[in-house]
Amino acid sequence: MIFNWKDRFSTGIEEIDKQHKRLFEIGGEIYNLATLKDGQDHYDEIIALLGHLKEYTEYHFGYEEELMEKYNYNKLEEHKQQHEMFVKKLVEIDTQDIDSKQKKVILDILDFIVNWISSHILGADFQYKDIIK
Ligand SMILES: [Fe+2]
Ligand SMILES: [Fe+2]
């Protein structure tokens, strides 16, 4: 399961790892709600988690960018652009509470997180780790 933290996701920077672990947690919580087979509708809870995800995203990207600035990281602009792209995608997730769309919203959120983990953390974030460490 992609939302289980594994050492291969570690940057070796304690605070960054802590924040990335939070992303895994949010992903896991959304996944668990989305796959519950209790006959209940958990859409409202998923939307609440999406709210947390938005707050977390802002906080984490801000933290990372400040850190990269502090170390005069040469790929800062590139990295910021990737962050902006993720924020844009997140804003674009259409959360209209229409029954037929619920599944799509949930899949969009999960897809967003999986993409962030597999392409951004293992890609762009891994590129700065040795400079900051
Ligand atoms: Fe990150
Ligand atoms: Fe990043």
Side-chain angles (χ1 to χ4, degrees):
M1 199 346 210
I2 183 138
F3 299 119
N4 290 330
W5 176 265
K6 290 167 204 78
D7 283 340
R8 71 183 179 93
F9 293 106
S10 171
T11 59
I13 305 158
E14 206 183 327
E15 179 58 28
I16 295 289
D17 285 348
K18 202 181 104 195
Q19 292 181 15
H20 285 163
K21 281 176 186 164
R22 179 73 191 121
L23 175 68
F24 279 67
E25 265 171 38
I26 298 173
E29 284 167 36
I30 293 174
Y31 180 84
N32 288 341
L33 279 176
T35 53
L36 266 183
K37 301 255 185 306
D38 60 358
Q40 306 284 320
D41 188 316
H42 296 283
Y43 191 67
D44 291 346
E45 290 154 272
I46 288 168
I47 294 304
L49 276 170
L50 177 63
H52 291 315
L53 178 64
K54 284 181 177 164
E55 272 168 41
Y56 162 81
T57 304
E58 239 170 78
Y59 171 73
H60 173 66
F61 285 173
Y63 183 92
E64 252 184 30
E65 287 170 14
E66 247 174 61
L67 194 67
M68 288 185 282
E69 256 162 55
K70 199 173 125 193
Y71 286 86
N72 279 319
Y73 180 52
N74 64 343
K75 287 183 180 161
L76 175 66
E77 279 316 309
E78 253 178 84
H79 200 119
K80 271 189 177 170
Q81 274 174 19
Q82 278 203 28
H83 284 172
E84 270 167 35
M85 191 196 74
F86 275 105
V87 170
K88 197 167 161 269
K89 270 209 236 165
L90 196 52
V91 171
E92 279 169 358
I93 295 178
D94 180 7
T95 55
Q96 284 179 73
D97 192 3
I98 296 170
D99 282 344
S100 63
K101 277 198 177 165
Q102 289 194 11
K103 217 169 183 82
K104 182 168 185 317
V105 172
I106 293 162
L107 290 177
D108 281 349
I109 300 170
L110 287 171
D111 183 65
F112 170 85
I113 301 177
V114 169
N115 200 272
W116 179 349
I117 290 172
S118 57
S119 85
H120 187 75
I121 292 181
L122 294 176
D125 284 357
F126 263 50
Q127 286 178 15
Y128 71 57
K129 71 180 171 69
D130 292 328
I131 289 133
I132 289 169
K133 218 168 24 184

